[in-house]
Amino acid sequence: MDEKNMTAITVIHLLGFQTSKNVTFVVFFLFLMFYCTTICGNLLIIIMVSYSKTLHSPMYFFLSQLSVSDMLLITDVVPNMLHAVLENTTIMTVSDCITQFYFFAATESLECLLLTVMSYDRYLAICKPLHYTLLMNHQFCLITVITSWSFSFLLVLIYILTISKLQFCGPNVVDHFFCDLDPILQLSCSDTTIVQLEATILSVIFGVIPFIVIIVSYVYIIVTIFEIPSITGRQKVFSTCSSHLTVVFIFYGTMFCVYLVPGRGQSLNITKYFSLLYTVLTPLMNPIIYSLRNKDLKKVVRKIINNLSF
C-alpha cells in the first residue's frame, strides 16, 4: 500500500521558489519584467509581419506563429508563478493544474512543429531555390500552420483526458512553480503506466521526429553552403538561417537539460530551475534573437520609428 494519504485531493499547493522576504520583490519584478518584455517583443514581431509587405513571406509568417505560441506559453506559466513568488505558495484546483499542463504541453508541441516547418522552409530556400515559390506557396503555409495548431492541441487533449481519469491523493504539496508532468504524476495513486506510455509516444511525435527532420534539413543546408565558391556568398546564405538555428539550439538545449537530468528527489529541485529556461528564457530570447540577427526586421523597426517620429 502506498504511504500517501489515500484521500482524494481537490487542491494543489505549488511552492514556487520559496524566496526570503528580502529578495521576494526583487524576484517578482524580475519575472514581471521578463514577462512584459516577452509579450511586447513577440507582439512587436506579429505587428511588424502584419504591417510590412516586405515581411509577407513564409519565413516571417511562421515566425509570427512562433511568437503567438511563445506568448501563450509564458502567459500560461508566469502569472501564476508571480503569485507564488509573492505568497511563497499558490493554490490551484486539480482541474486547473491539469488545464495549465494542457496548454503548456500543447504550446511546447506546437513550437516543435513550427521550428520543424521553419527548417523545411530554409531547406527549400537554400537547397531548392528554383522550386521554392512553387512549393512554399501561401496555401501550403496556411495548411501547414492550421495542421500544426490542430495536431498539437488535439493530440495533447487526448493525453490530458487520460491524465484526468487518474485518482490524485495527498500530500498535495508540490515543489514546483507550475504543473509539469512529473509533479502531477507524483500526486497520483493510480497506475500511471498508460500515461507514461502515451507521454513517450507524444515525445517521439513532437520531439524526436521533428528534431531529426531539423538535423537532416541542416545537414543538406550546410552541404549546399559549402558548395558555394565564395566566402561572401556562404556568409550571406548562412545568415538567412542563423537566427532559426540559434533558436532551435536554445529550445532543444534547454529541453534536454530538463528531461535528461537523471534521477529524482534532490535532482527534482534542479529540474525546477532548469524549467525556467524553456518556460521563461526561450520565449524571451526568440524575438530578441530574430530582431538582432535579422536585417529585414531591423529595417522595418527603423521605418516604424521614423514614421512615429514625424
Side-chain angles (χ1 to χ4, degrees):
M1 181 67 66
D2 197 329
E3 294 180 358
K4 293 182 179 179
N5 182 0
M6 296 302 292
T7 304
I9 60 174
T10 56
V11 296
I12 296 172
H13 293 261
L14 294 173
L15 296 181
F17 295 101
Q18 296 295 299
T19 56
S20 64
K21 292 182 179 180
N22 295 331
V23 298
T24 293
F25 286 102
V26 175
V27 174
F28 175 82
F29 283 113
L30 183 63
F31 284 127
L32 180 62
M33 182 183 68
F34 285 163
Y35 177 68
C36 293
T37 304
T38 301
I39 294 297
C40 292
N42 283 289
L43 193 59
L44 180 61
I45 286 181
I46 295 171
I47 292 172
M48 286 192 298
V49 172
S50 303
Y51 167 81
S52 176
K53 291 183 179 180
T54 60
L55 300 181
H56 288 177
S57 65
M59 181 176 68
Y60 294 110
F61 175 63
F62 295 136
L63 176 59
S64 67
Q65 296 300 308
L66 186 66
S67 293
V68 174
S69 179
D70 282 335
M71 291 170 65
L72 286 176
L73 173 60
I74 199 167
T75 300
D76 179 52
V77 173
V78 172
N80 193 67
M81 181 177 70
L82 292 174
H83 181 267
V85 169
L86 286 178
E87 302 294 332
N88 268 339
T89 185
T90 187
I91 300 175
M92 302 178 69
T93 63
V94 172
S95 59
D96 286 344
C97 188
I98 294 176
T99 301
Q100 184 187 46
F101 175 67
Y102 167 63
F103 282 101
F104 162 74
T107 50
E108 286 288 294
S109 301
L110 174 61
E111 295 215 2
C112 290
L113 295 183
L114 289 175
L115 289 173
T116 306
V117 174
M118 292 171 77
S119 69
Y120 178 66
D121 171 78
R122 292 299 83 205
Y123 161 76
L124 289 180
I126 296 172
C127 301
K128 307 286 183 180
L130 299 179
H131 301 88
Y132 179 77
T133 305
L134 179 64
L135 295 175
M136 194 60 69
N137 54 55
H138 178 73
Q139 184 179 6
F140 176 81
C141 294
L142 198 59
I143 292 174
T144 302
V145 166
I146 293 174
T147 302
S148 296
W149 279 86
S150 303
F151 199 56
S152 301
F153 280 82
L154 288 177
L155 278 188
V156 174
L157 178 60
I158 295 173
Y159 179 53
I160 292 300
L161 292 176
T162 305
I163 293 177
S164 65
K165 294 178 182 179
L166 298 175
Q167 183 179 0
F168 297 96
C169 310
N172 60 347
V173 178
V174 176
D175 186 13
H176 214 303
F177 61 90
F178 79 104
C179 293
D180 203 354
L181 180 60
D182 276 350
I184 291 176
L185 294 185
Q186 286 184 26
L187 297 176
S188 175
C189 45
S190 305
D191 183 9
T192 60
T193 304
I194 295 178
V195 174
Q196 291 173 340
L197 177 61
E198 289 181 354
T200 302
I201 295 172
L202 288 180
S203 297
V204 172
I205 294 174
F206 291 111
V208 177
I209 294 177
F211 184 69
I212 292 174
V213 173
I214 292 172
I215 293 298
V216 172
S217 298
Y218 272 99
V219 168
Y220 280 103
I221 288 172
I222 292 171
V223 170
T224 303
I225 289 175
F226 276 109
E227 290 177 351
I228 299 174
S230 68
I231 297 177
T232 305
R234 292 177 187 175
Q235 292 175 342
K236 184 178 180 180
V237 172
F238 183 74
S239 66
T240 63
C241 59
S242 59
S243 297
H244 175 260
L245 188 59
T246 304
V247 169
V248 168
F249 177 79
I250 293 175
F251 179 79
Y252 278 99
T254 55
M255 293 287 283
F256 289 154
C257 282
V258 173
Y259 294 109
L260 293 183
V261 174
R264 295 179 180 271
Q266 186 176 359
S267 67
L268 188 62
N269 191 50
I270 299 174
T271 303
K272 178 175 71 173
Y273 288 99
F274 271 135
S275 299
L276 286 172
L277 296 176
Y278 62 84
T279 55
V280 178
L281 181 63
T282 301
L284 173 67
M285 292 302 296
N286 286 354
I288 294 175
I289 291 169
Y290 274 101
S291 299
L292 292 178
R293 300 179 66 90
N294 194 289
K295 294 179 180 179
D296 293 332
L297 287 178
K298 288 180 181 178
K299 288 179 181 178
V300 174
V301 170
R302 284 195 293 266
K303 185 177 179 181
I304 293 174
I305 293 174
N306 291 334
N307 290 341
L308 292 176
S309 61
F310 291 102

